[in-house]
Amino acid sequence: MKILLINPPNCGRSIPEERYGITSLKQIFRGEPLALEVLAGNLDEHETRILDLKVEPNGLQAELLSFTPDLVALTAMTCEAQTLLRIAAQVKRCCHAILVVGGVHASADPEFFNREMIDWIVIGLGKQSFRELVLAIESNDLDSDIPGVARTNPGKTLSYQPRKFGRNDLAERQAPRYDLVARYRPDYTLQSLGLQLGFVASAAGCPYDCSFCCIAPLTGGKYLTASIDTVIRDIQCLQTPVIRLVDANTFGNPGHALKLAEAIEKAGIKKQFLADVRADTVVRHPELMKRWKEIGLRALVIGFEEIDDAALGGMNKESSAAINLQAIEILHRIGLTIVGDFIISPDYTERQFDKLSNFVKQQQIDLPMHTILTPLPGTRLYQQMREQITIHDLDYYTLTNAVLPTRLDEELFYQRYAALLAEGHQSAKV
Ligand code: SF4
């Protein structure tokens, strides 16, 4: 079969820009679509292409006409979901390809995609279930259910068998098809340093259940680690000097992470690494962080989220402000760059903005990243706050808009938010 995998374009709308002319908050994300590369790697019997509309926003029509795919698959985050529908409609107007959607929003709210222009929905980690779907379509054997895959049925409730995720769902047999995005590679650059990044996955899912997070449902709450050999193989496929380990929680199994560090050293790999870690993992395993620094770890992304215990408890973060401080102290001592994620509640007062700004400066967070608390469909936060949501248009679910009412005057809230981001950019040291 001829299969076209599509990464949607940068999209999303900005309230601060539209209402108050604050233009500094729009996020541009341009990293390689690893999930699609992995899907392609697992479809080695088929002719597969990847179209990255983030790099080539006007490339759809020409690709459809030249490739004439039998099957088109699209992935989308929540803020991209409506854009995905627009692309799906364009695909259906232009060709007769079977249309499949997957990714974070399809997993969080599959009913959203239960529409005429879409044929199948892949729910949760789709590396293996998408392959099973393609095989079933090719052999016209669609009578039995594929767990984690739903056939659309517009106007009726979706019916599908949930998937019990396991190691097989990591689809490790073949390396990701990095070659399919080779033409885009110069655009996959860490802008602050002008460094080209390559993405590798060493794990999937997360055993924690933070109320705002959409990761755990992707694997039914399981934490799955890739085999060490697979990760080394994938790193060695890439020529880039910096490897971003894209797992939401790279050190979730410290024993596995240690073995991986040893294997990277043994393989003679000389690259820099960026990875995500929980603050409590740093506190419990400082030696592991040190070991990773020795083999090239340069920066760690930590979800501090909030700076006081009451707010952290409300998010079910299972951590504390004291642990955050200990983690910062350890990472400074080791000499690792700290990329700190903080979540700004729409409920913030001016005093809370001041406190967070002072915290970031005092604790010398090298690169603070601030997002606005957003109840994403499919999360527990959404269930808790759905009655209070004032903006339901998913184009605004970019994590830089308040879709809940702000306590401060709205314009002042965005001015303070923009100022916080500007401080972070000015002081950034990566
Ligand atoms: S925020 Fe991090 S620790 Fe919490 S559930 Fe998501 S990935 Fe896991």
Side-chain angles (χ1 to χ4, degrees):
M1 284 175 88
K2 291 204 280 183
I3 299 173
L4 179 63
L5 307 173
I6 300 180
N7 196 28
N10 271 308
C11 49
R13 298 181 62 181
S14 168
I15 296 171
E17 181 172 347
E18 290 169 14
R19 295 185 187 166
Y20 309 113
I22 300 171
T23 56
S24 57
L25 299 180
K26 231 176 178 171
Q27 288 193 332
I28 301 290
F29 176 75
R30 208 177 270 172
E32 67 187 280
L34 180 65
L36 300 184
E37 295 159 31
V38 171
L39 293 184
N42 208 25
L43 296 169
D44 44 346
E45 314 88 328
H46 302 275
E47 188 184 347
T48 309
R49 289 191 189 177
I50 293 177
L51 175 66
D52 190 346
L53 294 174
K54 287 190 170 57
V55 184
E56 206 181 336
N58 300 316
L60 180 60
Q61 194 77 4
E63 187 70 34
L64 292 173
L65 291 176
S66 68
F67 187 44
T68 58
D70 303 306
L71 187 150
V72 171
L74 291 132
T75 180
M77 307 288 289
T78 296
C79 66
E80 298 167 332
Q82 295 185 144
T83 299
L84 186 153
L85 293 182
R86 290 189 276 273
I87 296 170
Q90 192 182 343
V91 171
K92 283 288 179 185
R93 277 197 303 273
C94 189
C95 66
H96 299 292
I98 295 165
L99 212 141
V100 184
V101 304
V104 169
H105 195 70
S107 304
D109 186 10
E111 285 293 348
F112 179 86
F113 291 116
N114 190 11
R115 315 215 181 194
E116 286 298 337
M117 70 282 250
I118 291 163
D119 300 299
W120 297 92
I121 305 168
V122 175
I123 300 147
L125 191 67
K127 299 177 183 187
Q128 183 59 22
S129 50
F130 180 65
R131 175 183 169 78
E132 291 166 20
L133 174 63
V134 168
L135 291 177
I137 290 172
E138 190 182 38
S139 55
N140 201 17
D141 177 18
L142 292 162
D143 289 343
S144 43
D145 281 350
I146 301 169
V149 175
R151 190 200 284 261
T152 53
N153 192 6
K156 304 222 171 82
T157 304
L158 283 178
S159 147
Y160 63 95
Q161 206 183 319
R163 195 168 180 94
K164 293 192 180 88
F165 293 96
R167 278 293 297 275
N168 193 38
D169 289 294
L170 293 178
E172 299 177 81
R173 195 172 51 88
Q174 302 279 0
R177 290 287 307 275
Y178 291 116
D179 59 304
L180 294 181
V181 297
R183 67 190 187 284
Y184 302 129
R185 179 86 36 209
D187 287 274
Y188 300 146
T189 298
L190 187 63
Q191 285 175 348
S192 56
L193 288 179
L195 282 177
Q196 275 189 25
L197 285 181
F199 285 7
V200 170
S202 76
C206 181
Y208 290 89
D209 188 22
C210 304
S211 63
F212 57 86
C213 180
C214 53
I215 295 295
L218 288 173
T219 52
K222 285 200 183 128
Y223 182 65
L224 305 169
T225 50
S227 80
I228 303 291
D229 290 348
T230 297
V231 185
I232 298 294
R233 175 198 66 194
D234 295 356
I235 294 170
Q236 287 175 327
C237 286
L238 288 160
Q239 306 301 317
T240 54
V242 182
I243 299 292
R244 173 75 166 106
L245 292 167
V246 294
D247 333 311
N249 185 359
T250 294
F251 302 90
N253 178 338
H256 178 266
L258 181 59
K259 280 189 197 149
L260 182 55
E262 305 294 351
I264 287 170
E265 185 175 68
K266 194 164 165 233
I269 293 168
K270 305 272 185 237
K271 291 186 185 280
Q272 295 185 342
F273 295 90
L274 271 77
D276 285 59
V277 69
R278 280 177 58 94
D280 54 353
T281 307
V282 174
V283 172
R284 276 200 294 270
H285 303 282
E287 294 305 316
L288 181 60
M289 303 301 121
K290 250 171 117 174
R291 186 72 188 106
W292 266 83
K293 169 96 191 313
E294 287 165 8
I295 61 100
L297 182 63
R298 174 169 178 166
L300 279 169
V301 183
I302 302 197
F304 296 118
E305 326 303 6
E306 272 284 5
I307 58 174
D308 69 61
D309 285 337
L312 284 169
M315 294 172 165
N316 196 34
K317 188 73 198 176
E318 295 188 46
S319 190
S320 69
I323 286 174
N324 282 350
L325 289 174
Q326 284 179 58
I328 292 167
E329 193 273 318
I330 290 167
L331 295 180
H332 281 323
R333 188 153 29 90
I334 295 175
L336 283 164
T337 296
I338 304 175
V339 181
D341 284 338
F342 296 93
I343 299 179
I344 313 296
S345 167
D347 212 32
Y348 258 34
T349 60
E350 289 224 67
R351 191 159 166 273
Q352 284 169 298
F353 273 110
D354 290 340
K355 268 178 77 179
L356 180 55
S357 168
N358 289 335
F359 179 91
V360 167
K361 286 178 202 143
Q362 280 163 6
Q363 296 302 322
Q364 298 176 26
I365 304 300
D366 301 291
L367 179 58
M369 309 284 282
H370 302 286
T371 52
I372 296 177
L373 183 73
T374 305
L376 295 170
T379 61
R380 271 193 302 120
L381 186 67
Y382 182 83
Q383 296 303 330
Q384 290 161 5
M385 310 215 84
R386 61 190 308 166
E387 302 301 327
Q388 293 152 56
I389 295 173
T390 48
I391 294 176
H392 296 273
D393 181 341
L394 297 182
D395 283 355
Y396 290 104
Y397 282 56
T398 56
L399 312 188
T400 52
N401 292 300
V403 302
L404 297 159
T406 56
R407 178 187 293 243
L408 285 175
D409 166 74
E410 190 180 73
E411 184 170 7
L412 179 57
F413 175 86
Y414 285 120
Q415 283 169 346
R416 292 299 312 253
Y417 178 52
L420 206 54
L421 260 65
E423 284 173 16
H425 290 152
Q426 278 159 17
S427 64
K429 304 182 282 293
V430 180

